[in-house]
Structure formats: structure tokens, C-alpha cells
Amino acid sequence: MSGPPQKYVYTPLDQLKEGTIANVFGVVSFFKLPYRSKGTDFCSVVNIVDQSNAKLKCMFFSGNQDALPKIYKIGDIVRFHRIKIQKYNNEFQGISSSGFSALVFEGIIDAPLVPRTSSKSYNFTTEDQKAVETLRSWQLRLPNISSSRQHLSNVQPGQYFDLLCQLVGKAEIDKASYLLKVWDGTKCAFLPWKVYVEDDALEGDRDAINRLQGFTIDVLVYDNHLALAKSLKIGSYIVIQNVHAKLHSTPIENPGHDTYVEFHLHGGTCYGRGMSVPPEDNSDVKELKNVLDALDLQQNQTLNPVLDIQLGQMSPSFDALEGCQQLSVTVVSSHQQWQITPLASIITKNAPQKFHVRVKLRSFQPHPLYQSVKLYCSKCHSLLDSPDEQSLNKIFEDFYNCSPNTSAPNTFWYQSAIWNTVNLDNRTVAIHFVKKYDILQSPEDSLIMVEGGSFKQICKLSSQFNTIIPVKSKEEHLEIDLSAPFLIQGNKWLYGCKKCSNIKSLEELKSLSLKGGWDVTEIAEALGVELLRHLFVMNFTLEDETGSLNAYLWQHSVSMTF
């Protein structure tokens, strides 16, 4: 710390005046981590309050991200020098001006008075020290100044929270999402949903990841957070702000299933959303490190997973599984009081019974994994492969070969338009907009019938329109063909059973034109379509020192972790 002695005057927030340059102290009540603005600069948003009970919103811009205030937590104490006061929407706002500088202190009482700053020289007097200590004590009495940080053990489904944690593993899922595997020394009250990652794609110490599997959660981050996520070092301590604890959807047919929670850091900066890496001398980081170092993992979990296997009898109506025993397999945490049964003994027992085993996974099918998702008809119990992209390409090509009826007239319940894709693949696509209350709807509320579109074009349209029904012309009429998806809503592609459906005329959609929204079930009933549901089907070969056992799984949401 250097520089000539200089006396600064600090203005209480309730005495600020428009057009002036001011120096202020305050407590952080809200902040956004630095993010790239629409231009070339980085932007930081900070809301502060002081003992005058006034508040001030500050927006700072800089081409150098490190020059912006280094804030990691609501409740931090800031000292801003040379901020310009202006009015925006009838409220005072502080922006950086020439010579702007910032010191940031932890808001914890008795924490070291060491500022976080990018300034090479600054003054910090005894009066400044008293101002920081006074604000630390004062903010404890404020009901609306509280960090949203939570321990994993306190998180509830549906909650948004901030998390201080250690990174133990990471992996790229796809171009738009990245996986962070983290822990904070506490266990979730709900089962954390585990994201499937190929072994060679996961970065991190494999022994440590296995040892901590009962404590870690998988956080998926998206969009503008990807670059930082990729740069994080394994073992570093990070703060993830505005994590969404989302209840994982479970099938209504299985109300007794365990409750799983997914964790997401959505894109954007709303509500302070983002990630940061606080310094290792931060008080919260040091406290977390001490907690993790002192944790006796052997007292909290056993490293070998135990598989809880229930041997059941196959439903005789499920034709596709005839001759197979049904085995439901769930990974559970260690219960040393449970008796482990050898596989050789299980094979001799009559079903259904429950056993607890410790086994190795020798093999699984199908390969590739996406083929484990099937289409199932609950009426005739047909089990079909879910079409992949190549199959869908061919299906829509066959539709196009039927040639869309470009001269199809408008009717009172839909209006047609022709899309000539000259710059793409020289196609002619007919789009029929179904009316609601006798008027056309905005795209996000519209149901359209698409004739002659390719797979890629259907995908593009599904991102813009509420509901799509692929159709083709036959003798001047439009009809659906269950070789293709019956209906598309966003990323949901729904299929109908050819055997059990009793297809009706598309004119039956008129009966829904006076109802709100486009409900999938109502559309299927109106058109006589028996919907297929997606089913998860896999075969595992388990083994121990006494023998092996084939486990056949079929159900909606089945999760296994090894």
C-alpha cells in the first residue's frame, strides 16, 4: 500500500446529487459478476446500501475485466472512488468516471481488512478502517441483506441458490452445455441426478470422484458460462450463483419412485447468474477447505456401491419380453446391516423376491446407448425402435416424393402458404396454419400442418411454432401418416401406434378451434391416434465370484450409477 496521504470526503447515499463525482462506502445488496457487454467492454452491476437507508445502483464498464470490482458475495463492503452520479428512470445511478477505483472487503466481522483491488496504489486510513467495521456490524441488523448461499443439505427442489463448492470433475456434454462435478461436504436431502458421461470424457482424479460419489452433484452450465467452465482447474474452489435445483420429472405411473433433483446454471446474467473463483485466502473458502479436510468419508459412505435387485415376474401381456425375467435394479447407498446374497443363490429362488448384492457390471446392451429408448404402446404392448436422424430423413424424403399440393385452397379452418426453399435444397413446402377462434395465431401459439418439409426444415419450424403435424396430400385431401412423428412440440417428437390407431380426418381439428392451447392428448383423441410413449430398455449382465445374472430393465426413468 503506497501513495501520498490524501483526505477523501465520503458522501452518504441519501445526499448524492446528479452530475457530481462522489466517493462512497456501502454494503453490497446485489451484484452481477463481470460479463461481456454488447460492445467490447465488460460490465459489472452492483447495488449498495448504507446507514442512510438509501440505495444506489452502479454500472461499471471496462475493457479490462480485472479492473472491475472483485465482489464474491452479497454483504461484501465496497469503497468506490470517483463515481459519476446520474439519473436514470428517476433513480440515482453511479457509473465509473476517469480515475475510478474500488476496494472490496469481506463483510464478515473480524475478517482481515485486506482489500481486493486492481489499483497499484491506494490510501486506506484509520477512518476508512472504522467505516468498514461499522458497515460490517450494521449490515447484521438488516433483514433484506442476506446471502442466498446454501449448503447442499439444505437445498429444496425448485429452489435457486448460490453454492460455494470444490470442483472434482468436469466434462463437455455438447457444444451448448458443460458438466461440473462439485461438492461442499454435505449430502443432498434428495437424490442428485447424475449426468451420463463417457469415462474418457471426464476430467479429474477418478479415485477421488469414486470416493466422493455420495457427496457430489452434477451441475450443467450453459451458453455464456461455457468458457469459464472449461477454464476451471480441478480442485479449485468456486462460487456458482443462481443454481436451479430442478425436480427431475418422474412418470406418473410410478409415484413411489425416489425424488431426483437436477442442477442447472442457465444462460444469461439475470438474478446475478454466473460463476467466480474467489481467492484461497477468502474466509469462506478457508472455512470450506477446513470442513472438507476434516471430513471422514469412511464414516459417511462405503466406496463399493450396493445394488438393490428385486426379482419379479414378467407381465405375460408384454409380448416383446416373452421368456425373460424382469429385474429392476437401483443403486442405493451402503447399508452394512443388509445381508449380501450371492448371485448363485438368487438364481435358485422363486420370483418375486428382494435381494441385496455386491456385483460388477460385466456388459450392457444396447450399443449405442440411444437405442435403449424405445416406443411402447400400452394398448397392444408393441415395442418399437425410436427412429434416428437417418431414418427420419428418409421418412420425410418419402413424404416429399408424394409432392405437396401447392394448389390446395384455403379453408375456413386453415390458411395455406407456400415456402420455396430455393437457397436450401430447392424444395416446395406447403404450410397450413390452423385457425383458432377463426383467426390466425402468433407463431408461439400456432398449430401448423407441414407438407413436403425435410427433417432439417421440420426441426427449424419446431423452434418457431407451438405445434407441428407432418401431413401429405392424397386425392385433394390432407392426411397424417404414422410412419412419421404424429405431432411435434418443441423438442418432443410424438408417435402413434399404427395397429391401434383409428385415423380420422384432419377436419376433426375444427372441434378444438374454440379451446385454449393445443393439448397433445386432445389432438390425439380428435384424430383417433393411440399415442406411443417412450420407454427405457436395457440389458445388464452382472457378476460376482459365484456366477452371473442378466438384469432386464424396462421403465420410463431408470437411473443407475456405478
Side-chain angles (χ1 to χ4, degrees):
M1 182 167 59
S2 60
Q6 184 174 353
K7 182 71 174 179
Y8 287 95
V9 176
Y10 295 94
T11 306
L13 299 185
D14 67 342
Q15 297 179 24
L16 294 172
K17 295 182 179 180
E18 185 179 4
T20 61
I21 304 296
N23 307 314
V24 298
F25 273 97
V27 178
V28 175
S29 60
F30 172 81
F31 70 101
K32 286 186 179 183
L33 294 163
Y35 61 93
R36 181 76 70 177
S37 66
K38 293 181 179 179
T40 58
D41 286 350
F42 290 90
C43 177
S44 177
V45 178
V46 186
N47 291 359
I48 61 174
V49 295
D50 69 2
Q51 297 97 320
S52 68
N53 291 321
K55 65 179 181 179
L56 178 68
K57 179 178 180 178
C58 303
M59 294 190 69
F60 304 124
F61 294 87
S62 175
N64 179 12
Q65 183 176 351
D66 292 334
L68 295 172
K70 294 176 172 58
I71 299 171
Y72 298 112
K73 186 179 181 180
I74 290 174
D76 280 353
I77 311 298
V78 297
R79 189 192 79 176
F80 295 150
H81 277 185
R82 293 174 289 277
I83 62 172
K84 182 178 180 179
I85 306 302
Q86 62 183 17
K87 267 199 171 181
Y88 182 75
N89 286 341
N90 293 321
E91 291 186 352
F92 284 128
Q93 183 181 80
I95 60 174
S96 50
S97 66
S98 177
F100 166 75
S101 67
L103 300 184
V104 183
F105 301 86
E106 293 184 46
I108 301 173
I109 290 180
D110 296 331
L113 284 168
V114 179
R116 301 190 288 268
T117 182
S118 61
S119 299
K120 295 181 179 180
S121 63
Y122 57 88
N123 290 326
F124 188 64
T125 65
T126 303
E127 288 78 10
D128 293 339
Q129 178 178 333
K130 290 180 180 178
V132 172
E133 291 174 340
T134 299
L135 285 171
R136 282 176 171 178
S137 299
W138 172 75
Q139 68 149 314
L140 294 179
R141 303 191 296 271
L142 297 181
N144 57 342
I145 298 292
S146 62
S147 173
S148 56
R149 282 191 193 172
Q150 295 285 350
H151 291 299
L152 290 175
S153 56
N154 296 328
V155 171
Q156 297 294 316
Q159 186 176 8
Y160 288 84
F161 66 101
D162 299 344
L163 178 66
L164 173 63
C165 53
Q166 185 184 35
L167 179 68
V168 298
K170 63 178 186 175
E172 184 177 50
I173 301 303
D174 52 39
K175 298 301 181 183
S177 60
Y178 205 86
L179 167 68
L180 301 180
K181 194 176 287 287
V182 300
W183 75 311
D184 74 347
T186 68
K187 287 186 178 182
C188 283
F190 302 87
L191 294 174
W193 183 256
K194 299 298 183 180
V195 178
Y196 174 78
V197 180
E198 296 285 355
D199 287 344
D200 57 356
L202 183 63
E203 297 181 41
D205 185 310
R206 194 51 50 90
D207 290 338
I209 292 173
N210 290 336
R211 186 170 66 252
L212 299 174
Q213 63 181 331
F215 290 87
T216 57
I217 65 168
D218 289 353
V219 181
L220 283 175
V221 304
Y222 305 92
D223 302 336
N224 55 302
H225 311 299
L226 293 180
L228 178 55
K230 293 177 182 178
S231 69
L232 294 173
K233 295 181 179 179
I234 301 298
S236 60
Y237 295 90
I238 60 177
V239 176
I240 312 177
Q241 294 180 194
N242 200 238
V243 184
H244 183 193
K246 179 184 177 184
L247 186 65
H248 179 75
S249 58
T250 54
I252 58 175
E253 295 88 348
N254 295 277
H257 275 201
D258 293 319
T259 299
Y260 287 89
V261 176
E262 306 170 7
F263 295 91
H264 300 268
L265 178 64
H266 301 296
T269 61
C270 292
Y271 309 105
R273 194 172 295 148
M275 293 186 294
S276 60
V277 183
E280 291 195 4
D281 61 357
N282 179 273
S283 297
D284 292 333
V285 170
K286 290 194 290 186
E287 180 181 352
L288 175 60
K289 189 176 186 301
N290 291 336
V291 169
L292 300 186
D293 290 344
L295 190 63
D296 187 352
L297 296 179
Q298 295 297 329
Q299 294 298 318
N300 287 277
Q301 66 177 25
T302 298
L303 303 187
N304 295 323
V306 177
L307 300 185
D308 176 9
I309 297 185
Q310 180 176 357
L311 197 62
Q313 292 177 329
M314 183 206 69
S315 169
S317 61
F318 203 149
D319 301 332
L321 304 183
E322 185 172 2
C324 298
Q325 279 187 314
Q326 177 192 338
L327 284 156
S328 63
V329 181
T330 309
V331 174
V332 296
S333 57
S334 171
H335 295 272
Q336 295 182 357
Q337 71 275 20
W338 289 352
Q339 181 180 355
I340 303 300
T341 306
L343 292 182
S345 176
I346 293 176
I347 295 172
T348 64
K349 306 295 184 182
N350 294 325
Q353 293 188 52
K354 262 190 178 181
F355 303 96
H356 301 279
V357 300
R358 182 168 287 114
V359 296
K360 292 181 180 179
L361 176 63
R362 188 172 71 189
S363 64
F364 67 89
Q365 291 179 333
H367 295 285
L369 276 176
Y370 73 84
Q371 292 180 351
S372 61
V373 179
K374 306 292 184 182
L375 297 172
Y376 173 62
C377 178
S378 58
K379 197 169 184 179
C380 68
H381 309 295
S382 298
L383 192 64
L384 308 171
D385 288 331
S386 186
D388 57 15
E389 182 173 337
Q390 184 177 0
S391 301
L392 289 170
N393 267 319
K394 186 178 186 308
I395 289 170
F396 287 117
E397 281 300 321
D398 291 342
F399 273 33
Y400 180 70
N401 291 334
C402 295
S403 298
N405 184 3
T406 57
S407 62
N410 296 326
T411 70
F412 72 93
W413 64 279
Y414 70 78
Q415 184 172 321
S416 301
I418 302 301
W419 178 22
N420 292 309
T421 61
V422 177
N423 295 329
L424 296 175
D425 48 12
N426 202 27
R427 280 177 177 264
T428 299
V429 181
I431 302 178
H432 311 282
F433 300 84
V434 179
K435 298 177 182 179
K436 201 79 165 174
Y437 304 106
D438 293 329
I439 59 174
L440 296 177
Q441 305 295 297
S442 58
E444 62 271 17
D445 297 321
S446 291
L447 183 153
I448 62 173
M449 300 180 293
V450 178
E451 188 182 358
S454 68
F455 171 69
K456 289 184 178 180
Q457 290 163 350
I458 295 287
C459 290
K460 183 176 181 179
L461 290 169
S462 68
S463 67
Q464 302 174 32
F465 293 91
N466 180 287
T467 304
I468 295 176
I469 298 179
V471 297
K472 61 184 183 181
S473 293
K474 184 178 181 181
E475 298 177 357
E476 302 299 323
H477 295 288
L478 299 177
E479 65 176 21
I480 58 175
D481 186 331
L482 296 183
S483 301
F486 149 65
L487 181 142
I488 301 163
Q489 281 190 340
N491 60 358
K492 295 180 181 178
W493 291 53
L494 304 177
Y495 296 81
C497 178
K498 292 183 180 180
K499 183 178 178 181
C500 300
S501 298
N502 183 21
I503 302 300
K504 300 176 184 178
S505 169
L506 284 166
E507 291 193 5
E508 296 296 328
L509 290 175
K510 293 185 295 184
S511 64
L512 305 179
S513 64
L514 298 180
K515 294 185 178 181
W518 295 108
D519 180 77
V520 171
T521 303
E522 291 181 350
I523 295 173
E525 289 178 355
L527 299 181
V529 176
E530 182 67 32
L531 284 174
L532 298 174
R533 57 178 180 169
H534 287 93
L535 202 65
F536 181 78
V537 179
M538 290 195 73
N539 182 66
F540 294 89
T541 300
L542 311 173
E543 67 176 14
D544 64 8
E545 63 275 8
T546 69
S548 63
L549 184 69
N550 288 327
Y552 200 96
L553 284 78
W554 69 278
Q555 195 46 268
H556 275 269
S557 299
V558 179
S559 172
M560 295 192 70
T561 304
F562 294 94

